[in-house]
Amino acid sequence: MTESWATFGADLHLDLTAGRGLRAGLTEALREAARSGRLAAGTRLPSSRTLAADLGIARNTVAEAYAELVAEGWLTARQGSGTRVAERARPRRPAATAPVRRPARKGPAYSLIPGSPDLGGFPRAAWLSAARRALTDAPNEAFGYAADPRGRIELRQALAGYLARARGVYADPERIVLCAGFLHGLAVLAGVLRARRVREVAVEGYGLDFHRDLLVRAGLRTRPLGVDGEGARTGELTAAAGAVLLTPAHQFPTGVALTPARRAAAVDWARTTGGLILEDDYDGEFRYDRQPVDPTPWQLGERRNSRQRLPVGALQALDPDRVIYLGTASKSLAPGLRLGWMVVPPGLMEEVTAAKGFADWASSTLDQLTLAEFIRSGAYDRHVRRMRLQYQRRRNELIARLASEAPHLRVSGVAAGLHIVLELPPGTERDVIRSAARQGLALHGLSYFRHPDAVGPHADGLVVGYGTPTDSLWSGALDALMRALPAP
């Protein structure tokens, strides 16, 4: 059978030296390709017949060039294996001075930094099963260029049902826009706000600096709202702000829920001024309100009637026309999936989709279809329940250790999420962070999350994330934390 040139992949792109005989030119071109490393050691060359046909020269010319290079050691020729670039044909590189050896940076052995789930808990087997089903059932057009900037309808439909059931969100699939995580969604909304000539966005006085930085880079000023035991002080909102970014179900990092009165104040502000509320429901699935706060309710600064408290739903339900709901799979599954969603008011859909772009380039179509199947099959609910129990167990172990070994320190923000706040004596936060570092433990203090323009007294404390460590590191992280805490 005639050997096809396509069998050998791409063209060799040989540059035959002008003014030389064909055989000599071909020999030198192949030699230089092997010498320079452009043809790597072990590369199989086309047969003499195929290369001759490609170059338009006699087969004997190619055979003679190959034979000469085999004799020189640049090529090897074995029956059944074809002609290949010899392993010894390594490219010659100019001598270089020995690289300067820098000591390797040794990271902390443990981390209790908040904001990340236990990545070891990712449901690999269940996700793989969902991916197989999604791949089998996917229509052919799903593998083309996505034309709808809102994302795949399959995932939007699955999310609409889930968000209504689990978070009380009014979510029509036509109003859901998929994005590559919260930051992507916030960037899209920042563009919408700028196009609306908004100049200022109110934010919580404690929050993530890279959220504020993103807004600033988009040309928006951020003005901090005070935060206390009832959440953000939404009564401080003014007409100067065109939008406000809130974490109402579980304020990050203080851990308090926005009270009904302050929720109502935020909605009233939005209706009166025409402003928008951006709701970050970053860990809404992980609430422990239905269980008594155990084992030390007296220490936690929480109300005793925790059994009667109901899980806090989304603020969006109070006014779906003024609140943009943002959620992600980053805490419930893994941030590496880069999957998030926005539930957008009808009057904003055109602006949001235009700002996002005319093609859904942000996240993989297959990942969207897999998550849709994962939700529809019930695997998502089962995974969230399993992780909720694991995180609740860790929270209880953390609180029990603190009650036993540091009873003089007050704990708050325990009703939900993946972290607690541990209050410290005034002036001790920095020393405790340094002490933790000496124990090989990474920690963030409350001051790390404070807005630079925030006013009022600054409380010392630690924001202890109990979701981050794997099970194998959890015990060691707890021990390191206890060693770093100040004595009474």
Side-chain angles (χ1 to χ4, degrees):
M1 184 177 69
T2 302
E3 199 170 36
S4 169
W5 173 244
T7 305
F8 300 96
D11 193 331
L12 293 184
H13 301 289
L14 297 175
D15 181 17
L16 303 187
T17 306
R20 304 189 66 176
L22 283 177
R23 187 181 65 77
L26 176 59
T27 303
E28 180 56 29
L30 287 169
R31 185 185 293 116
E32 181 56 31
R35 178 190 293 120
S36 66
R38 190 171 66 79
L39 289 180
T43 299
R44 185 181 179 185
L45 301 183
S47 70
S48 58
R49 179 188 299 111
T50 302
L51 184 55
D54 182 68
L55 297 177
I57 62 178
R59 180 184 177 187
N60 285 345
T61 302
V62 177
E64 290 170 1
Y66 277 4
E68 182 174 341
L69 293 171
V70 168
E72 292 178 3
W74 291 106
L75 303 180
T76 62
R78 294 185 179 91
Q79 186 69 28
S81 180
T83 303
R84 297 178 181 271
V85 178
E87 289 296 328
R88 67 179 64 87
R90 302 290 182 183
R92 293 198 296 266
R93 295 181 175 86
T97 57
V100 178
R101 292 187 176 272
R102 294 182 175 89
R105 289 189 178 182
K106 186 179 180 181
Y110 308 105
S111 175
L112 291 176
I113 290 176
S116 176
D118 177 3
L119 301 180
F122 184 79
R124 298 172 189 241
W127 184 262
L128 183 59
S129 297
R132 286 197 185 101
R133 294 192 299 271
L135 188 60
T136 300
D137 297 338
N140 291 339
E141 54 86 15
F143 301 101
Y145 293 105
D148 192 338
R150 293 173 299 178
R152 292 296 303 184
I153 183 61
E154 295 91 339
L155 180 52
R156 290 188 282 121
Q157 289 173 336
L159 282 170
Y162 174 78
L163 293 174
R165 170 172 54 82
R167 303 299 300 134
V169 174
Y170 287 96
D172 187 306
E174 298 302 309
R175 292 173 47 196
I176 294 178
V177 178
L178 304 178
C179 50
F182 177 82
L183 277 179
H184 179 214
L186 185 60
V188 170
L189 295 176
V192 171
L193 294 175
R194 282 291 295 169
R196 287 185 159 217
R197 300 187 182 280
V198 170
R199 294 292 178 266
E200 181 177 293
V201 176
V203 298
E204 295 163 328
Y206 285 91
L208 290 168
D209 56 351
F210 47 85
H211 291 175
R212 300 190 297 261
D213 291 345
L214 185 150
L215 294 171
V216 171
R217 286 196 301 271
L220 300 164
R221 295 188 300 272
T222 62
R223 183 179 299 275
L225 301 174
V227 176
D228 57 24
E230 298 183 6
R233 295 176 186 150
T234 51
E236 297 176 1
L237 287 166
T238 68
V244 58
L245 175 60
L246 296 173
T247 52
H250 186 227
Q251 202 282 323
F252 186 87
T254 64
V256 299
L258 195 64
T259 61
R262 293 192 178 178
R263 287 175 168 235
V267 170
D268 290 344
W269 164 84
R271 291 171 176 171
T272 301
T273 66
L276 293 168
I277 300 172
L278 314 183
E279 178 178 13
D280 180 7
D281 195 30
Y282 72 100
D283 62 358
E285 290 96 342
F286 299 117
R287 297 204 64 87
Y288 318 114
D289 303 67
R290 290 177 179 173
Q291 298 296 327
V293 179
D294 184 44
T296 54
W298 58 269
Q299 184 198 23
L300 303 176
E302 305 281 348
R303 290 177 293 175
R304 289 178 179 272
N305 63 339
S306 57
R307 276 190 175 89
Q308 282 98 41
R309 289 196 307 244
L310 296 176
V312 179
L315 173 64
Q316 187 258 11
L318 292 180
D319 194 336
D321 292 332
R322 305 306 312 172
V323 181
I324 303 171
Y325 176 91
L326 296 102
T328 76
S330 297
K331 304 299 182 293
S332 57
L333 285 167
L337 291 177
R338 310 307 305 145
L339 283 171
W341 44 86
M342 299 181 280
V343 183
V344 181
L348 276 177
M349 278 301 299
E350 184 175 349
E351 296 168 72
V352 169
T353 53
K356 183 170 183 277
F358 292 104
D360 184 28
W361 50 265
S363 53
S364 161
T365 294
L366 182 55
D367 285 341
Q368 292 179 39
L369 293 174
T370 300
L371 181 55
E373 172 61 27
F374 201 69
I375 294 172
R376 284 195 303 263
S377 68
Y380 187 82
D381 288 82
R382 291 191 293 273
H383 171 71
V384 168
R385 283 196 295 270
R386 180 174 66 84
M387 298 308 294
R388 186 188 296 128
L389 289 173
Q390 174 179 311
Y391 294 141
Q392 187 173 22
R393 172 181 56 79
R394 288 189 182 185
R395 180 203 69 167
N396 290 345
E397 290 174 0
L398 171 58
I399 292 172
R401 288 288 298 271
L402 290 168
S404 173
E405 302 177 41
H408 55 293
L409 302 179
R410 183 175 178 270
V411 180
S412 61
V414 302
L418 306 179
H419 71 273
I420 64 163
V421 175
L422 182 59
E423 299 177 19
L424 297 173
T428 62
E429 180 182 302
R430 186 174 299 178
D431 290 339
V432 173
I433 296 293
R434 282 197 291 257
S435 176
R438 289 193 293 271
Q439 301 294 331
L441 174 64
L443 277 176
H444 280 336
L446 265 176
S447 61
Y448 181 87
F449 302 99
R450 184 178 169 90
H451 193 291
D453 297 332
V455 297
H458 167 59
D460 281 55
L462 300 176
V463 183
V464 183
Y466 49 81
T468 304
T470 61
D471 281 341
S472 62
L473 295 176
W474 170 240
S475 178
L478 272 184
D479 293 340
L481 174 65
M482 297 306 144
R483 291 193 296 268
L485 295 177

